[in-house]
């Protein structure tokens, strides 16, 4: 049961890792309007936050895969399990923070970037699981 809970916690963290940068990217107009910060500064800030989050998240996931998930084959379920949590986070965010101002609608190209990120994210999780399990095998 502990492994099941750990697996779901890691899946939630994976979902948050992709959800937060996508929401920052989609909501640059809203952030700029509400805070009064220039759109260029918000765009650069969200890009920097995405890169820093990606680097810190990757190191965190290598640690969690090696320490919590112990190189088991069940780890590969995280490739699928992050999706329901991502959908849940998206639904909750859209419910609590709906777009009420038409100027906050994201650029259409943002959707293409989001689709690309969402399609490549399972491969990212697979690579982390593969490298984490290889590192675990070497430490035993």
């Amino acid at each position: 049961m502990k492994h099941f809970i750990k697996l779901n916690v890691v899946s939630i963290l994976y979902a948050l890792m992709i959800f937060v940068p996508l929401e920052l990217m989609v909501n640059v107009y809203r952030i700029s309007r509400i805070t009064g910060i220039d759109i260029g500064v918000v765009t650069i800030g969200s890009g920097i936050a995405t890169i820093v989050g990606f680097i810190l998240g990757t190191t965190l996931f290598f640690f969690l895969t090696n320490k919590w998930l112990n190189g088991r084959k069940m780890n590969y379920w995280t490739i699928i399990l992050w999706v329901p949590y991502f959908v849940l986070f998206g639904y909750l965010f859209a419910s609590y923070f709906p777009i009420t101002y038409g100027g906050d609608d994201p650029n259409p190209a943002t959707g293409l970037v989001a689709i690309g990120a969402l399609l490549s994210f399972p491969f990212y999780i697979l690579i982390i699981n593969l490298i984490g399990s290889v590192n675990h095998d070497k430490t035993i």
Side-chain angles (χ1 to χ4, degrees):
M1 186 66 174
K2 284 183 181 180
H3 187 72
F4 178 74
I5 292 171
K6 289 178 182 179
L7 187 68
N8 279 291
V9 168
V10 171
S11 297
I12 289 170
L13 292 175
Y14 274 129
L16 282 174
M17 185 176 175
I18 191 75
F19 178 74
V20 171
L22 285 178
E23 284 300 320
L24 283 174
M25 182 177 63
V26 166
N27 289 309
V28 289
Y29 295 121
R30 184 186 302 194
I31 295 168
S32 175
R33 181 180 56 85
I34 291 173
T35 62
I37 301 172
D38 185 45
I39 188 78
V41 175
V42 173
T43 303
I44 291 172
S46 68
I48 290 171
T50 299
I51 291 170
V52 169
F54 181 74
I55 292 169
L56 293 176
T58 301
T59 55
L60 172 76
F61 287 124
F62 279 132
F63 172 75
L64 287 178
T65 300
N66 204 9
K67 178 121 175 133
W68 275 11
L69 302 179
N70 301 328
R72 294 183 183 181
K73 299 294 181 197
M74 195 172 178
N75 303 355
Y76 296 105
W77 280 101
T78 56
I79 296 172
I80 299 170
L81 281 177
W82 69 274
V83 175
Y85 293 115
F86 178 79
V87 171
L88 176 68
F89 294 147
Y91 175 76
L92 290 174
F93 192 85
S95 296
Y96 288 117
F97 304 105
I99 294 179
T100 56
Y101 177 69
D104 290 342
D105 287 337
N107 188 348
T110 305
L112 293 175
V113 174
I115 289 170
L118 291 172
L119 289 176
S120 63
F121 197 64
F123 296 107
Y124 167 77
I125 297 172
L126 176 67
I127 290 169
I128 287 180
N129 282 329
L130 287 173
I131 293 173
S133 64
V134 168
N135 286 339
H136 182 72
D137 292 339
K138 289 181 180 179
T139 59
I140 292 180

